[in-house]
Amino acid sequence: MPGELGLLRILAQRIGAVDERERCGGARFAGEGITVRRAARAALALIDSLRLADPIEDLLPADKVKTHFLLSAHAGARRCVLKVYGSPRPAEAAVLRWWAQHALNVVPVEAHADDDVSWLLMPFVPLRHALAQPFREREVLSLTREVAGLMARAHTLALPPAVALSRSSDALHARQPATRQQPMRPGSRADPRADPRADPRAGSREGLHGGVLGGAFAEAAARALDTDASAVCLHGDLSMDNVKRTGDGHLILIDPCGYLGPAEFDGARWIARWAQRGIEARALAAAWQDGEQDVDPRLLLRLAAEESML
Ligand SMILES: Nc1ncnc2c1ncn2[C@@H]1O[C@H](COP(=O)(O)OP(=O)(O)OP(=O)(O)O)[C@@H](O)[C@H]1O
Ligand SMILES: [Mg+2]
């Protein structure tokens, strides 16, 4: 197979890093070695069956430890990107395709499948950062308005068909210390009984950053996330890494988790991440509301506070 040696080197390096983390990181990372190997086997088979060729490059930053692969390769004269997970993650491709159908600017999905593992084939799109560094507050707030406007359009769409989105509250529960977790709802994605392939760490691991908020506050935020009445399809992981610009200067969304939850969740994650970099949360929330006027300002700030404490 062309490119086999380079590809094997990429796979081996990433598997080694995951093994190291599993060895040293304790229960939180248990089982990741199996997941990354499943992804590696699938990547090898896909490079072959999709007839992808050299040069094959690793698009993930060298210092990130991931259980999936993101490879740039050539299909004929064209450069494309193959993303391969070691478990089923059907929401990412489903949400990207649904949003593309509704003229939202997202990275296109050319092919995908979701069986034992999920994979996506995309064209290689030249992407640049949405903001030049060093960041200035005024520019961050202006970008926040722009991203909120984009998400306001996404949040008004119906749910994508034929995919069960996990709840944003499950994402939050999975990061809570065990003592503050709410009981799992039978059949929820965080309930390992519901799906034997679900994250075995959910429900037992320590919160990633330690919990410092009062339990009542956290539970109120989680309850707000569980509200079905206003649940929409969320990006779920809005950050500077997942909001880029194309060559013509337009914003483009990549890498959605595709959660189901209140629209405020997306703004809250964005605000929390910028607040951690020193931008004032209330100014960010006001800017977000300029772009997405329907959000509840109290819920936006409450979820942002919860997010930034995790
Ligand atoms: N279709 C694409 N064309 C060109 N570059 C891409 C494409 N998809 C992803 N990338 C590049 O790879 C980087 C990581 O992509 P992506 O966010 O999908 O991966 P990830 O593994 O989920 O990373 P993270 O966990 O850091 O969000 C992006 O920031 C972008 O620079
Ligand atoms: Mg990403």
Side-chain angles (χ1 to χ4, degrees):
M1 189 201 316
E4 192 162 8
L5 262 185
L7 175 62
L8 289 178
R9 194 174 309 117
I10 294 170
L11 301 183
Q13 273 169 358
R14 295 241 159 242
I15 290 172
V18 170
D19 281 348
E20 180 69 13
R21 180 165 77 175
E22 188 170 357
R23 222 178 2 258
C24 307
R28 266 168 55 183
F29 302 109
E32 288 197 338
I34 294 171
T35 308
V36 74
R37 282 174 176 77
R38 225 185 283 132
R41 266 197 302 277
L44 272 170
L46 283 162
I47 292 282
D48 209 18
S49 63
L50 297 170
R51 297 179 194 285
L52 302 181
D54 270 339
I56 296 176
E57 289 163 37
D58 188 356
L59 285 184
L60 292 175
D63 59 341
K64 283 201 174 176
V65 182
K66 297 280 187 179
T67 56
H68 62 270
F69 294 94
L70 189 68
L71 303 164
S72 151
H74 277 74
R78 232 166 36 86
R79 194 172 171 194
C80 50
V81 173
L82 177 66
K83 194 171 195 180
V84 190
Y85 291 98
S87 55
R89 302 242 322 204
E92 181 170 341
V95 170
L96 286 172
R97 286 209 143 144
W98 184 239
W99 283 353
Q101 273 180 45
H102 291 86
L104 243 85
N105 212 17
V106 292
V107 65
V109 176
E110 290 177 350
H112 76 101
D114 305 290
D115 298 316
D116 288 345
V117 305
S118 284
W119 61 267
L120 300 85
L121 184 70
M122 301 166 273
F124 183 92
V125 182
L127 301 169
R128 55 189 176 87
H129 293 299
L131 278 186
Q133 297 212 36
F135 308 121
R136 289 198 202 84
E137 174 152 340
R138 194 163 42 85
E139 290 159 358
V140 173
L141 296 179
S142 163
L143 174 64
T144 299
R145 281 181 207 102
E146 215 182 332
V147 174
L150 190 60
M151 293 317 300
R153 279 180 52 216
H155 291 155
T156 56
L157 298 177
L159 298 181
V163 65
L165 301 177
S166 25
R167 284 167 179 268
S168 55
S169 56
D170 287 344
L172 194 138
H173 291 155
R175 295 170 64 194
Q176 302 280 339
T179 48
R180 282 171 48 219
Q181 281 193 342
Q182 297 205 320
M184 290 177 219
R185 290 176 308 286
S188 81
R189 288 261 304 164
D191 180 353
R193 291 165 303 177
D195 178 357
R197 295 163 303 195
D199 184 349
R201 297 159 296 160
S204 62
R205 67 176 150 171
E206 291 289 295
L208 286 182
H209 310 290
V212 294
L213 278 183
F217 186 97
E219 279 163 27
R223 262 199 310 280
L225 285 175
D226 265 338
T227 311
D228 276 331
S230 55
V232 299
C233 173
L234 302 165
H235 181 286
D237 191 21
L238 274 189
S239 69
M240 274 292 281
D241 286 340
N242 292 332
V243 177
K244 303 278 188 189
R245 281 192 202 283
T246 47
D248 57 10
H250 286 103
L251 286 187
I252 182 165
L253 298 171
I254 64 169
D255 196 20
C257 298
Y259 293 140
L260 183 67
E264 286 81 359
F265 183 90
D266 275 335
R269 270 211 160 160
W270 176 267
I271 290 166
R273 285 165 176 179
W274 279 111
Q276 281 164 349
R277 292 174 157 200
I279 310 287
E280 220 262 310
R282 282 185 191 280
L284 286 161
W288 188 276
Q289 277 182 273
D290 289 343
E292 186 171 31
Q293 279 146 21
D294 290 344
V295 289
D296 171 353
R298 290 191 58 220
L299 182 56
L300 189 63
L301 276 172
R302 191 167 75 186
L303 294 178
E306 168 71 7
E307 176 73 22
S308 56
M309 297 297 168
L310 288 174

